[in-house]
Amino acid sequence: MRLKLIKTFIAVYETRSFSKAADQLFISQPTVSVHIKQLEEQLNVKLFDRNGRMFLSPTLNARRFYQHATQLLDDWQEATASLDLTTENTRTSISIGASQTTATVLLPKIIAQLSKSTLNSMNLKVEMHNSEEILAGVLNKQFDLGFIEKPITNDFIVRHTLAKDQLVLAGNLASDMWLVREKGSGVYHYMQQYFKQQNIVPEHFLTITNNDIIVKMLSENIGKSIVSSQTLPKNMSFIKLPDSFNRDFYLINHQHNNRPEIQDFIVMVEKIAKTLL
């Protein structure tokens, strides 16, 4: 129970918000409030001051406790991992959140260049989400690492630039139907940028939360969209966009995730990515 309280405290401290912490932890906002109240009672200190209705300001005691709380959580995760006794579980476990383009374009190329001995020493778990969901997952320690294509930042996130990607306008270019990704995805960010530059207010559009589905629909001559050039079939029509749509792929990790195996894996990924630039 105390571990849950510590996780909640860390999420609130990093987001400065009960509601954002609740979203990260996949629990209700009232539960977050209860956790913080219980922790304050156990520590006999006040942890947060309210500055207006939305913003929370950590107290001096909260700032002192945060450093210890993150270390406690890291120590607990390391201690529980050390209890795995089976041959399979002695491998290094690394959880990865990958956005859809990085999951289908970049990550396979990186994993393909890892040595057999490296792969045999690891249990890699990969989940596909949009960039904002991956950021939340890295912050709440759901993911050790995130592969994203949206240039998002956070005070508690370390971001590494890995490789380049070219976005193009593809599909039935004469169509007035736009296929758009959901808010929070990397492509949505760039599509809104394109609409603004071209003074476009789309009247007809479909929101699709999967890039592979968009490419399949484009292949069936349904609408047009902005997608990575690396995801397109060879025979599909497209228009190259300005250099401002040459985006980067990023690797992100929590600044307090200092497990040596994670740091070693980051170094390996960065070395491989240099060959893909």
Side-chain angles (χ1 to χ4, degrees):
M1 183 59 187
R2 288 183 180 177
L3 190 61
K4 289 183 179 180
L5 302 186
I6 289 174
K7 287 182 178 180
T8 302
F9 164 76
I10 291 173
V12 173
Y13 186 94
E14 292 178 348
T15 63
R16 303 295 199 266
S17 166
F18 281 0
S19 60
K20 290 180 180 180
D23 290 341
Q24 283 190 15
L25 298 170
F26 304 103
I27 58 179
S28 68
Q29 185 173 336
T31 300
V32 171
S33 298
V34 170
H35 284 182
I36 296 301
K37 183 178 180 181
Q38 290 176 341
L39 187 59
E40 287 178 329
E41 289 175 350
Q42 290 187 22
L43 298 175
N44 196 29
V45 297
K46 187 176 183 180
L47 295 172
F48 297 99
D49 292 317
R50 288 187 178 275
N51 296 336
R53 295 183 60 187
M54 302 298 294
F55 186 76
L56 295 174
S57 176
T59 64
L60 178 59
N61 282 320
R63 297 179 188 278
R64 290 170 174 167
F65 185 64
Y66 174 75
Q67 301 298 327
H68 296 289
T70 54
Q71 188 60 54
L72 282 170
L73 189 58
D74 289 343
D75 289 345
W76 174 261
Q77 292 173 338
E78 184 176 345
T80 54
S82 70
L83 298 178
D84 293 331
L85 300 178
T86 64
T87 301
E88 181 179 358
N89 287 334
T90 57
R91 298 178 178 183
T92 298
S93 293
I94 300 178
S95 58
I96 294 172
S99 60
Q100 294 191 19
T101 305
T102 59
T104 57
V105 171
L106 178 65
L107 196 55
K109 294 178 181 179
I110 289 175
I111 292 178
Q113 294 193 44
L114 293 174
S115 67
K116 185 176 180 180
S117 61
T118 297
L119 288 173
N120 287 340
S121 68
M122 294 180 176
N123 283 328
L124 293 180
K125 179 183 178 183
V126 180
E127 295 184 23
M128 191 161 65
H129 299 272
N130 70 40
S131 296
E132 292 289 349
E133 291 168 341
I134 292 168
L135 172 63
V138 173
L139 284 171
N140 68 30
K141 307 297 180 67
Q142 176 187 358
F143 303 125
D144 295 308
L145 301 171
F147 287 81
I148 60 175
E149 67 266 11
K150 185 177 179 181
I152 51 182
T153 59
N154 183 281
D155 290 343
F156 300 93
I157 290 295
V158 180
R159 192 177 74 186
H160 315 262
T161 301
L162 295 181
K164 296 289 184 181
D165 184 38
Q166 171 66 56
L167 292 176
V168 297
L169 176 61
N172 181 354
L173 302 180
S175 174
D176 63 354
M177 173 66 72
W178 288 91
L179 308 181
V180 302
R181 286 289 305 279
E182 78 285 3
K183 291 182 179 179
S185 71
V187 175
Y188 178 87
H189 166 80
Y190 286 98
M191 183 164 282
Q192 296 306 307
Q193 178 180 321
Y194 180 80
F195 287 160
K196 184 176 181 179
Q197 288 182 2
Q198 301 297 318
N199 294 316
I200 294 173
V201 180
E203 294 184 11
H204 307 289
F205 63 91
L206 296 175
T207 300
I208 302 172
T209 62
N210 184 285
N211 193 66
D212 289 340
I213 295 176
I214 288 179
V215 173
K216 291 290 185 183
M217 295 183 75
L218 295 177
S219 299
E220 295 295 331
N221 205 37
I222 301 173
K224 57 189 175 184
S225 187
I226 292 177
V227 295
S228 168
S229 61
Q230 299 185 65
T231 64
L232 293 178
K234 293 183 179 180
N235 60 346
M236 184 174 292
S237 300
F238 68 87
I239 296 176
K240 186 177 179 180
L241 296 176
D243 289 344
S244 59
F245 291 86
N246 292 338
R247 62 180 179 174
D248 292 311
F249 289 139
Y250 303 100
L251 171 64
I252 62 173
N253 65 283
H254 198 293
Q255 68 173 8
H256 293 299
N257 191 343
N258 295 316
R259 288 166 51 197
E261 59 269 29
I262 298 297
Q263 298 304 315
D264 290 344
F265 188 75
I266 291 173
V267 171
M268 282 191 289
V269 168
E270 289 185 306
K271 183 177 180 179
I272 292 172
K274 288 180 180 179
T275 67
L276 306 176
L277 290 173

